Structure formats: structure tokens, C-alpha cells
Amino acid sequence: MAQSASAPVLARETAPPANGAGLGRITGLIGAALLVLFLAAFPHVVTSQYYIHLLTVIAIYAILILGLDIVVGYTGQVSLGHAGLFGVGAYSAAVLFLKFKLGIWAGLLAGIGVTAAFGLLLAIPALRVSGPYLAMVTLAFGTIVQIFINEMTELTNGPLGITLPPARVLDFSLVGMQAPWGAAGRKLEFYYLVCLSLIATIVVVNRVVRSPFGRAFEALRDSPIACDCMGVSVYRYKVYAFVISAALAGLAGALFAWSERYVAPNSYGFELTVLFLLAVTMGGRKSRSGPLIGAAIIVMMPNILADIELVRIMAGGIAALAVVILAVAFLRARENRFAILLPALLCIAFFPATLALQSVTDYRLTVFGLMILFVVYYLPEGIVGYLREKLPVLRPSHTGAGRDLAASGEALIRQDGRGGADPLLKVEGVVMQFGGLKALAGVDLGIRPGTIHGLIGPNGSGKSTMMNVLTGIYRPTEGAVVLAGESRLDGRTPSEIALSGVARTFQNVQLFREMTALENVLVGLHHSFQGTLFDAILGTPRRRREERTARERAMAILDFVGLGSLAQVEARNLPYGKQRLLEIGRALALDPVLLLLDEPAAGLTAPDIAELTAIIRKIRDAGITVILIEHHMDVVMGLCDRVSVLDFGHKIAEGGAREIQADPKVIEAYLGSPVADAAE
């Protein structure tokens, strides 16, 4: 049984840079209003159908890139299959019209649903790998889709493609009426449908990434191991992200089919995949404006490259700008002058290269590839990221609503000692073998509830291996791990073990570096959210209520570990000692019955260690059982009720702290054999 209890935490306001946050929110609202105004007014100011169509395509691509950013920007996965998903959405809409004469609305629903299903089928096997392997799998998917579309002539009309009529968005003839906006307005119905779809996509993506789902996506990108150990299944949330992204690719594909009124297999090839990745990297990840900028670039770029004279003018302008920047940097002896030398020379060299070419069209992929390399190396955060770095007013509020929060509720959940007088955790004959090496050789442990149990030993003795076994990162070769006398932990996943009440910290700090301290703790509180993805998308009262409650509880936990005033600071910007405390606070958010601390005092100063030991005592006083791995013997002797000693994977001693300190086997393990020393 667990009940709320701990030392009372004073309600207090956070102390973030409120002015910057307020300006950031105002800037975001102004940007959103300007986007809506621009989209609404554009066809009335620029009446050319060509430019209206161009903006329509930019908006359609932006929908897909907003979804791709969830996969690339938030979860850190590289997908080369979104051109294939885009094609699936387009053909879903086109085939419905070809076979059943169903119009645009049925096509949009089919594009979203069918592509989401394809995304799920792709994600289930593909997301068990990562990095270049995932890129290869998704690239293969895109190629297979293109081949199937080309070969399934009975369904897709093969290489001939499918021609669609003009989209009929609102059919007033069904009710015996004429369109109230006349013939000119009817030509803009599809344009405004695309604009509404874009705005709806921005709202949906914004709500998803600011929800527990979005925090889970970011967490699994920064540290998959820590994410799993916070009870957030890395694999499951990768699948969620991919399916959401696929659904948006399907929506974009269906809109594109009705925009172009023709679909063919060669429209969704590898070049389109390269363009989508270019848009994400160049525009800027983890933003809503980045995909809009990226979409505009990739739509306009082919048109620009088709005009060699325009390319030469642009190349000349870029070269002149590079010369000026380089000259200023060297004349003022700026520190970065040598860092910008190579990209500046490349920009300058691009101009004579264009003079030597009669056409750049045949080198489009080369240009796109060079642009990606240039952006990744010299502008890793994209255009929006660069502007945010230079103009702090453009930086978003990481935590959205509720920036000024009072800590509410109890920081800790008091544990009454599950299992009574019996050991809370029993480790029975655990063996962990890596090939011919036994890192653990038949280790037995019994951890009493409500105590601090030390686990010590020389380097390489098996302490961290035991931690990984207890938290499911390693599955033991032999033996059993039993929690509270009834729950077997061995063989379960790290996320399942975390949700059963076992939390941990890491020997090397594993924080979610690009997230604030508050957001890190909110990931630990992920288990407290009951809302679904639809609650996040719709912004239901339950979603808002859960978010508010979780934020207040997170502030209480941050106050408990002394980080309340740093709630809005990104984890990577915290001092090392504070990062250690934040990791403990995040683990406490799981409401654990058992807390595993892996060398929490490593690298800390004496004042930080004193603060740490006080916090660990308060954790123990709340009834939470602690297993402590530590090399600072004064910390072990001052905190631990009982100590187990490992050496070369064997348990060589166990008992009270003072008893262990005087044990000859322990002294020998740490200092070496007296006989061996005498022989030397």
C-alpha cells in the first residue's frame, strides 16, 4: 500500500525568465495571425492562378513535412520512406475516384486512414532498428511502393497513371443552390481547403508535441535507455510517432492528387524523399515555422534551378555576400574566421561553376545533396534554429501553458514497505554471462523494505551489471529477481519494471538534454497520465486537468531536490551537481517503492555531497527502499543500513556498514592481498 506523505513542500512560484517567455508566446501568436491573414488574402492580392497553385503545393508539402518533423526532429529517426507514404495517400484518393467515383472528401479520409495503416505495417518491423538500418528499411519501402504502383495495373492503372477531374469541395447542387461566392469563388474552394488543412495540421502537431506524447518522443531521442527506465516504452512511442507522421503524409498525398489532378508512379521517387529531408533540415526541426520555410524552399528550388540566368544571379549574390562576410571576419580578427573559411570559399566557387554550365537541371540531386551537407554541418539547427539562437525573442516556451506554477501536493509518495518484514527485493542465484565472461556468478541479495542497502566493490566487480539486471536492461542468464515476494522482474522489459515500482539513476547522467528540468520530471510522471492521443489532439478538459496537476506535482518534486528555481532551464545547461539531483527527482516522479542510485556522488563537490546525502535520507524516511552503489566510503558508511560487497561477480561479504568496513575479504578486494604485496 502507498499513501501520500512527505515533508511539506512550500508552495512557491518558479523563477524563469518570464519576460522572454511572454515575448516568445506573443511572437508565436503574432506569427500565427500573420500566417492566417497571408493565406486568406493571398489569392485576392495575387490573382495569377500559377502563383495560387504554387502556394497550394507549398502548403501541401508543409503538411507532410510537419509530420516528418515528428519523426526526424522529435524522435531523432531518419525516414527515407515518406515519399512512398505520400504516394500511398495520393493513390488512395485517386483509386477511390477511378473505381467508385468518390470525390475529394472520401479521398482525404482514405488517404489518412490507408496511409496510417501502411505506416503502422512499416513501423512495427522497421522501428526495431535505428540509424542507417532504419533509413535503409524505409528507403526500401518507398522503392517497393513505387514498383507496386507501377505493376498493379488493374488497381492503379500502372504507368499510365490516373487523371482526376477538378475537385468539387462543396456541392451546392445537392441542395438545389448555387455557390454564394459565385464562379470566381468556386475556383478558390480547393485552395482554402488546403489552407484549412494546413492550419489544422499545425494545431494538431502543436498539441501533440506539447502533450505527454511529445515529451515521450523527445525523451526517446535524447536517451532511449533512460526513457525506457521511466516507464515510457521506446518502441511503442516510436510507432506512435511514425503512424502520426504517416497519417499526415497521407493527407498531404490525397490533397496533392486532387491539386495536380493526375497521379503517376514516377511522381513519388527518391528525389522527392531527398527534397523532404532537405526541407526538414534546412527549415529547422522542432518548430512549426521551419517546415513552412522548408516547403517553400523545395517547391521554389526546382523552378529556380530550371532558369540558368536566375541561378547565376543568385550565385553571384551569394558569392558577393560570402566575400563581404569573410573580409569582415578577417579584418576584425573574429574567432570564427577560420571556421567560416571553407563554406565561404565554396559559396564563392559556386558562381564560376554556374558560368561554366549551360543548365543546372541535370545536377539537381547533386545541388540538393550539397545543400543538405552544408546545412547539417554549418547550420545544424536549420534556419529557424539559427534565428532563435540570434534572436531570443523567437525562442518558444518549452513548457507551454502554466509557466508560473505553484508547487502542489506531496513530492514523495510514502511507501509502507511492501512485503512486510520479508525482503522487498530478492535476487536468487543471478548469473550474467557475456560469452566466456561471468559478470555475475550466482549472486544472492535480500533487500529489506525501508532501508538503504549499499552495493560496493572494486571497479569491474559487477555492480553496474547488477543494476542493469534489476532494471531489465540485461536479462540474466540464470537466476530470478523477485519484487515484494510475488512479482518476477527477470525477463520483463525496462518500462514494465519501471511501472512496477523500480526507478533508477545512471552512473553516467542520462538526462533528456534538450528538455527543461520541469519537462524531465514530467517524463517521470508519464505514468500518471490517462489521456489518449485523441485527448491530446482535441485538447479535452481531462487533458488540461492532468497536465496542470502533473506540472504542479513536478514543481513539488523539483522543490524537494532543490531545483525549483531552475525549473525552466534546459537540462544540458545545468551544473553537473544539479544534473545529478535532477536525475534523482525524475526517478522519484515514478513513485517508486525501490530506488536504485548508481554512483550519485561521483564527481560532486563536498557541499553537493552533503546536499545529496540529506535528500537520500529524506527519501528513506518516506519509506522508499534505496539500493546505493557508491565509491565514496564516507557516504556509504554514513547512509547505508546494510552493505553487500561484490568482487569479480561474486558476493564476498554482507552485513552492517561498520562490520563490512573491518572484513578482511573486503580489505583484500580493495587493497590487494597482503601476501602478494609482501612477495613483491
Side-chain angles (χ1 to χ4, degrees), residues 322-345 378:
V323 169
V324 171
I325 292 174
L326 198 61
V328 170
F330 274 88
L331 288 173
R332 296 185 178 181
R334 290 181 176 174
E335 293 182 359
N336 68 337
R337 60 188 183 278
F338 292 105
I340 66 173
L341 180 60
L342 179 59
L345 291 176
Y378 293 105

mmCIF file of all heavy atoms in Angstrom, residues 322-345 378:
data_model
loop_
_atom_site.group_PDB
_atom_site.id
_atom_site.type_symbol
_atom_site.label_atom_id
_atom_site.label_comp_id
_atom_site.label_asym_id
_atom_site.label_seq_id
_atom_site.Cartn_x
_atom_site.Cartn_y
_atom_site.Cartn_z
ATOM 1 N N ALA A 322 29.348 36.245 -49.420
ATOM 2 C CA ALA A 322 30.392 35.443 -48.776
ATOM 3 C C ALA A 322 31.703 36.218 -48.699
ATOM 4 O O ALA A 322 32.421 36.155 -47.693
ATOM 5 C CB ALA A 322 30.591 34.134 -49.537
ATOM 6 N N VAL A 323 32.031 36.951 -49.764
ATOM 7 C CA VAL A 323 33.257 37.760 -49.766
ATOM 8 C C VAL A 323 33.200 38.816 -48.665
ATOM 9 O O VAL A 323 34.176 39.025 -47.920
ATOM 10 C CB VAL A 323 33.462 38.420 -51.146
ATOM 11 C CG1 VAL A 323 34.567 39.476 -51.068
ATOM 12 C CG2 VAL A 323 33.809 37.372 -52.194
ATOM 13 N N VAL A 324 32.049 39.483 -48.540
ATOM 14 C CA VAL A 324 31.900 40.523 -47.514
ATOM 15 C C VAL A 324 32.038 39.926 -46.114
ATOM 16 O O VAL A 324 32.769 40.460 -45.256
ATOM 17 C CB VAL A 324 30.542 41.233 -47.676
ATOM 18 C CG1 VAL A 324 30.289 42.167 -46.486
ATOM 19 C CG2 VAL A 324 30.496 42.011 -48.981
ATOM 20 N N ILE A 325 31.345 38.816 -45.872
ATOM 21 C CA ILE A 325 31.396 38.183 -44.544
ATOM 22 C C ILE A 325 32.817 37.733 -44.213
ATOM 23 O O ILE A 325 33.309 37.944 -43.095
ATOM 24 C CB ILE A 325 30.425 36.984 -44.489
ATOM 25 C CG1 ILE A 325 28.972 37.480 -44.569
ATOM 26 C CG2 ILE A 325 30.638 36.166 -43.216
ATOM 27 C CD1 ILE A 325 27.948 36.361 -44.673
ATOM 28 N N LEU A 326 33.484 37.148 -45.204
ATOM 29 C CA LEU A 326 34.850 36.660 -44.984
ATOM 30 C C LEU A 326 35.808 37.825 -44.728
ATOM 31 O O LEU A 326 36.667 37.755 -43.829
ATOM 32 C CB LEU A 326 35.300 35.854 -46.203
ATOM 33 C CG LEU A 326 36.509 34.922 -46.013
ATOM 34 C CD1 LEU A 326 36.213 33.878 -44.953
ATOM 35 C CD2 LEU A 326 36.840 34.237 -47.338
ATOM 36 N N ALA A 327 35.648 38.903 -45.500
ATOM 37 C CA ALA A 327 36.525 40.066 -45.329
ATOM 38 C C ALA A 327 36.341 40.696 -43.952
ATOM 39 O O ALA A 327 37.323 41.024 -43.265
ATOM 40 C CB ALA A 327 36.244 41.090 -46.428
ATOM 41 N N VAL A 328 35.088 40.849 -43.526
ATOM 42 C CA VAL A 328 34.810 41.436 -42.208
ATOM 43 C C VAL A 328 35.383 40.563 -41.100
ATOM 44 O O VAL A 328 35.975 41.058 -40.129
ATOM 45 C CB VAL A 328 33.289 41.630 -42.022
ATOM 46 C CG1 VAL A 328 32.973 42.006 -40.574
ATOM 47 C CG2 VAL A 328 32.774 42.708 -42.968
ATOM 48 N N ALA A 329 35.229 39.245 -41.250
ATOM 49 C CA ALA A 329 35.715 38.323 -40.221
ATOM 50 C C ALA A 329 37.223 38.406 -40.058
ATOM 51 O O ALA A 329 37.748 38.412 -38.935
ATOM 52 C CB ALA A 329 35.291 36.892 -40.564
ATOM 53 N N PHE A 330 37.961 38.499 -41.166
ATOM 54 C CA PHE A 330 39.426 38.543 -41.077
ATOM 55 C C PHE A 330 39.926 39.936 -40.687
ATOM 56 O O PHE A 330 40.915 40.059 -39.956
ATOM 57 C CB PHE A 330 40.044 38.101 -42.402
ATOM 58 C CG PHE A 330 40.217 36.618 -42.505
ATOM 59 C CD1 PHE A 330 39.187 35.818 -43.001
ATOM 60 C CD2 PHE A 330 41.382 36.005 -42.080
ATOM 61 C CE1 PHE A 330 39.330 34.438 -43.089
ATOM 62 C CE2 PHE A 330 41.538 34.625 -42.161
ATOM 63 C CZ PHE A 330 40.521 33.841 -42.660
ATOM 64 N N LEU A 331 39.256 40.978 -41.164
ATOM 65 C CA LEU A 331 39.686 42.322 -40.797
ATOM 66 C C LEU A 331 39.484 42.581 -39.309
ATOM 67 O O LEU A 331 40.286 43.279 -38.670
ATOM 68 C CB LEU A 331 38.923 43.360 -41.629
ATOM 69 C CG LEU A 331 39.309 43.456 -43.116
ATOM 70 C CD1 LEU A 331 38.381 44.394 -43.855
ATOM 71 C CD2 LEU A 331 40.771 43.925 -43.257
ATOM 72 N N ARG A 332 38.420 42.030 -38.757
ATOM 73 C CA ARG A 332 38.151 42.213 -37.327
ATOM 74 C C ARG A 332 38.731 41.086 -36.479
ATOM 75 O O ARG A 332 38.505 41.062 -35.266
ATOM 76 C CB ARG A 332 36.641 42.317 -37.095
ATOM 77 C CG ARG A 332 36.015 43.546 -37.771
ATOM 78 C CD ARG A 332 34.551 43.676 -37.416
ATOM 79 N NE ARG A 332 33.962 44.878 -38.016
ATOM 80 C CZ ARG A 332 32.689 45.246 -37.849
ATOM 81 N NH1 ARG A 332 31.888 44.504 -37.098
ATOM 82 N NH2 ARG A 332 32.239 46.339 -38.425
ATOM 83 N N ALA A 333 39.435 40.149 -37.136
ATOM 84 C CA ALA A 333 40.100 39.034 -36.424
ATOM 85 C C ALA A 333 39.119 38.277 -35.529
ATOM 86 O O ALA A 333 39.417 37.973 -34.380
ATOM 87 C CB ALA A 333 41.276 39.568 -35.612
ATOM 88 N N ARG A 334 37.980 37.980 -36.066
ATOM 89 C CA ARG A 334 36.998 37.226 -35.290
ATOM 90 C C ARG A 334 37.457 35.781 -35.074
ATOM 91 O O ARG A 334 38.150 35.212 -35.906
ATOM 92 C CB ARG A 334 35.647 37.241 -36.011
ATOM 93 C CG ARG A 334 34.985 38.616 -35.997
ATOM 94 C CD ARG A 334 33.646 38.594 -36.703
ATOM 95 N NE ARG A 334 32.979 39.886 -36.601
ATOM 96 C CZ ARG A 334 31.844 40.188 -37.235
ATOM 97 N NH1 ARG A 334 31.278 39.296 -38.039
ATOM 98 N NH2 ARG A 334 31.293 41.377 -37.087
ATOM 99 N N GLU A 335 37.020 35.207 -33.948
ATOM 100 C CA GLU A 335 37.471 33.868 -33.587
ATOM 101 C C GLU A 335 37.021 32.811 -34.590
ATOM 102 O O GLU A 335 37.689 31.793 -34.780
ATOM 103 C CB GLU A 335 36.968 33.508 -32.188
ATOM 104 C CG GLU A 335 37.592 34.355 -31.084
ATOM 105 C CD GLU A 335 37.108 33.941 -29.717
ATOM 106 O OE1 GLU A 335 36.282 33.012 -29.647
ATOM 107 O OE2 GLU A 335 37.544 34.544 -28.724
ATOM 108 N N ASN A 336 35.869 33.035 -35.225
ATOM 109 C CA ASN A 336 35.321 32.018 -36.132
ATOM 110 C C ASN A 336 35.776 32.196 -37.577
ATOM 111 O O ASN A 336 35.225 31.571 -38.479
ATOM 112 C CB ASN A 336 33.794 32.045 -36.075
ATOM 113 C CG ASN A 336 33.221 33.330 -36.662
ATOM 114 O OD1 ASN A 336 33.899 34.347 -36.724
ATOM 115 N ND2 ASN A 336 31.961 33.272 -37.073
ATOM 116 N N ARG A 337 36.782 33.035 -37.822
ATOM 117 C CA ARG A 337 37.140 33.363 -39.209
ATOM 118 C C ARG A 337 37.642 32.134 -39.972
ATOM 119 O O ARG A 337 37.368 31.997 -41.165
ATOM 120 C CB ARG A 337 38.176 34.484 -39.238
ATOM 121 C CG ARG A 337 39.488 34.191 -38.542
ATOM 122 C CD ARG A 337 40.356 35.461 -38.481
ATOM 123 N NE ARG A 337 41.672 35.241 -37.888
ATOM 124 C CZ ARG A 337 41.905 35.211 -36.585
ATOM 125 N NH1 ARG A 337 40.887 35.375 -35.740
ATOM 126 N NH2 ARG A 337 43.128 35.026 -36.119
ATOM 127 N N PHE A 338 38.361 31.247 -39.296
ATOM 128 C CA PHE A 338 38.849 30.060 -39.990
ATOM 129 C C PHE A 338 37.741 29.009 -40.143
ATOM 130 O O PHE A 338 37.749 28.231 -41.095
ATOM 131 C CB PHE A 338 40.048 29.476 -39.250
ATOM 132 C CG PHE A 338 41.266 30.357 -39.305
ATOM 133 C CD1 PHE A 338 41.651 31.091 -38.188
ATOM 134 C CD2 PHE A 338 41.996 30.476 -40.470
ATOM 135 C CE1 PHE A 338 42.763 31.915 -38.235
ATOM 136 C CE2 PHE A 338 43.119 31.299 -40.529
ATOM 137 C CZ PHE A 338 43.496 32.029 -39.404
ATOM 138 N N ALA A 339 36.786 29.015 -39.223
ATOM 139 C CA ALA A 339 35.673 28.069 -39.313
ATOM 140 C C ALA A 339 34.778 28.369 -40.508
ATOM 141 O O ALA A 339 34.225 27.457 -41.134
ATOM 142 C CB ALA A 339 34.852 28.088 -38.024
ATOM 143 N N ILE A 340 34.628 29.671 -40.841
ATOM 144 C CA ILE A 340 33.754 30.038 -41.963
ATOM 145 C C ILE A 340 34.513 30.106 -43.279
ATOM 146 O O ILE A 340 33.912 30.379 -44.321
ATOM 147 C CB ILE A 340 33.052 31.387 -41.704
ATOM 148 C CG1 ILE A 340 34.080 32.538 -41.661
ATOM 149 C CG2 ILE A 340 32.228 31.328 -40.424
ATOM 150 C CD1 ILE A 340 33.440 33.908 -41.580
ATOM 151 N N LEU A 341 35.825 29.866 -43.247
ATOM 152 C CA LEU A 341 36.629 29.997 -44.462
ATOM 153 C C LEU A 341 36.180 29.011 -45.541
ATOM 154 O O LEU A 341 35.952 29.399 -46.696
ATOM 155 C CB LEU A 341 38.107 29.779 -44.124
ATOM 156 C CG LEU A 341 39.088 29.892 -45.306
ATOM 157 C CD1 LEU A 341 39.019 31.279 -45.933
ATOM 158 C CD2 LEU A 341 40.511 29.580 -44.850
ATOM 159 N N LEU A 342 36.037 27.738 -45.185
ATOM 160 C CA LEU A 342 35.670 26.721 -46.175
ATOM 161 C C LEU A 342 34.282 26.962 -46.766
ATOM 162 O O LEU A 342 34.144 26.978 -47.998
ATOM 163 C CB LEU A 342 35.767 25.329 -45.550
ATOM 164 C CG LEU A 342 35.380 24.166 -46.476
ATOM 165 C CD1 LEU A 342 36.272 24.138 -47.715
ATOM 166 C CD2 LEU A 342 35.470 22.837 -45.725
ATOM 167 N N PRO A 343 33.228 27.150 -45.933
ATOM 168 C CA PRO A 343 31.916 27.392 -46.554
ATOM 169 C C PRO A 343 31.885 28.658 -47.394
ATOM 170 O O PRO A 343 31.209 28.709 -48.422
ATOM 171 C CB PRO A 343 30.962 27.498 -45.347
ATOM 172 C CG PRO A 343 31.829 27.767 -44.177
ATOM 173 C CD PRO A 343 33.119 27.088 -44.463
ATOM 174 N N ALA A 344 32.637 29.683 -46.978
ATOM 175 C CA ALA A 344 32.677 30.918 -47.767
ATOM 176 C C ALA A 344 33.332 30.671 -49.123
ATOM 177 O O ALA A 344 32.847 31.153 -50.161
ATOM 178 C CB ALA A 344 33.423 32.001 -46.996
ATOM 179 N N LEU A 345 34.425 29.935 -49.138
ATOM 180 C CA LEU A 345 35.096 29.624 -50.406
ATOM 181 C C LEU A 345 34.202 28.787 -51.314
ATOM 182 O O LEU A 345 34.195 28.971 -52.544
ATOM 183 C CB LEU A 345 36.412 28.901 -50.136
ATOM 184 C CG LEU A 345 37.521 29.746 -49.474
ATOM 185 C CD1 LEU A 345 38.738 28.875 -49.174
ATOM 186 C CD2 LEU A 345 37.897 30.928 -50.350
ATOM 187 N N TYR A 378 27.066 23.181 -41.112
ATOM 188 C CA TYR A 378 27.257 24.568 -40.711
ATOM 189 C C TYR A 378 25.999 25.204 -40.113
ATOM 190 O O TYR A 378 26.088 26.265 -39.491
ATOM 191 C CB TYR A 378 27.716 25.399 -41.909
ATOM 192 C CG TYR A 378 29.086 25.013 -42.389
ATOM 193 C CD1 TYR A 378 29.249 24.274 -43.553
ATOM 194 C CD2 TYR A 378 30.221 25.364 -41.669
ATOM 195 C CE1 TYR A 378 30.512 23.906 -43.995
ATOM 196 C CE2 TYR A 378 31.488 24.995 -42.101
ATOM 197 C CZ TYR A 378 31.627 24.264 -43.266
ATOM 198 O OH TYR A 378 32.866 23.896 -43.689
#
